[in-house]
Amino acid sequence: MNWKFIFNPFLKFSERQLITVGSLAFISLNIVCFLFGFKMDSLLHFNSGKQNSFWEILLQNSGVIALFTLFLWGLGLVFNKKTRLIDIFNMILFTLIPTTLTLLLMGIPYFNQTAEKIANASNHPDAVSKMTLELAIISLFTLFLLPLLVYTIVLLYNGFKTATNIKKWQQTALFFGVLFLLNLIFQILIK
Amino acid sequence: MKLPVQCPSCDETLSVSKLTCHHCQTEISGDYELPVFLQLTQDEQDFILDFFLNSGSIKEMATKAQLSYPTMRNKMDDLIGKIKELYHTK
């Protein structure tokens, strides 16, 4: 397997193959969200806590994905009039694979309990400094989570680049600017 | 045998200075600019011919090359850009 296609599967695979894999990722994401109590409030952020019904989760996740697809397609059209909606949609669906893995890791009860323990003790620096094992565990989890987050961003960028054929650094900067701005706006609006 | 189109010393486009008839040995000398199609690399020329032989279907080309449609379309757009630039500099 060529490493190039791991980081940019949009170069090689047809839209049918991508949408099949992406759809499976979407279904898995919703199941994981339901099992662990997560809900998408933007493409790169999930909120947790309240237990929601599967249909509520499905509806909100679908809405966020649909709106992000439309906004990024709009941006794509600004750069290249030939940008197809299906390519942007496939890009977003495919990035749900590392997202689902991230949620699976974050949903591990031991990780959650440890993170909560550290958060509760954060007002007492002395207590935190004594929690060596807990800090080591969180650091280990972060070692797994960070590459997944980086992979998500790489897939988003490579997918967008393939769909729109952008070449200038200004276009790349605008893409990331719009992506993070949308994430922020969605997190504020969906509360 | 590949037709060289770029000078190996200064990277400028080569032009044709002599044509020979293999039948009657007539030689024609001059300074003839290469047509735009021949100023492209061999891969680019093959790409255009493939496009023509696939009846102008990028989708079919993508399937045969085992690449995605947007990848093929981007290649096409880049080549169109290059050809427009070559026409512009003529």
Side-chain angles (χ1 to χ4, degrees), chain A:
Chain A
M1 167 63 98
N2 198 331
W3 281 105
K4 188 171 73 169
F5 299 129
I6 302 271
F7 292 106
N8 194 354
F10 316 102
L11 282 177
K12 185 170 173 62
F13 300 110
S14 70
E15 46 269 32
R16 232 176 246 186
Q17 289 167 319
L18 290 170
I19 209 164
T20 306
V21 173
S23 302
L24 291 171
F26 178 67
I27 293 164
S28 311
L29 176 82
N30 285 299
I31 292 169
V32 167
C33 283
F34 177 65
L35 289 174
F36 295 121
F38 291 116
K39 215 156 77 169
M40 214 177 199
D41 58 6
S42 73
L43 194 63
L44 300 172
H45 191 266
F46 288 75
N47 56 32
S48 62
K50 197 176 138 192
Q51 188 57 41
N52 301 290
S53 74
F54 183 77
W55 298 111
E56 267 179 13
I57 291 167
L58 182 67
L59 195 66
Q60 184 161 319
N61 291 354
S62 304
V64 169
I65 287 168
L67 286 171
F68 260 87
T69 303
L70 287 172
F71 279 115
L72 290 178
W73 181 47
L75 180 67
L77 287 172
V78 166
F79 295 142
N80 184 347
K81 288 187 188 116
K82 294 180 191 172
T83 305
R84 300 187 311 169
L85 179 64
I86 186 73
D87 294 330
I88 302 291
F89 185 54
N90 278 340
M91 165 192 96
I92 288 178
L93 282 187
F94 208 87
T95 59
L96 298 180
I97 297 172
T99 305
T100 308
L101 290 170
T102 305
L103 292 179
L104 268 171
L105 276 175
M106 286 172 68
I108 295 170
Y110 190 66
F111 172 76
N112 267 327
Q113 287 160 14
T114 311
E116 251 183 71
K117 224 170 150 180
I118 294 171
N120 291 337
S122 61
N123 291 328
H124 310 284
D126 289 337
V128 173
S129 61
K130 287 175 188 166
M131 299 167 89
T132 330
L133 179 65
E134 285 83 358
L135 288 169
I137 288 164
I138 291 292
S139 304
L140 195 66
F141 268 100
T142 312
L143 272 174
F144 287 110
L145 290 175
L146 265 175
L148 285 172
L149 178 64
V150 169
Y151 185 48
T152 307
I153 305 285
V154 165
L155 282 177
L156 279 170
Y157 172 64
N158 283 335
F160 191 79
K161 198 168 117 179
T162 306
T164 58
N165 200 23
I166 56 170
K167 293 196 188 318
K168 299 176 185 169
W169 69 266
Q170 296 94 333
Q171 292 169 323
T172 304
L174 191 60
F175 165 70
F176 280 112
V178 167
L179 181 67
F180 289 115
L181 192 66
L182 281 175
N183 270 288
L184 201 61
I185 292 169
F186 271 66
Q187 279 177 56
I188 294 167
L189 292 176
I190 302 173
K191 266 217 165 170

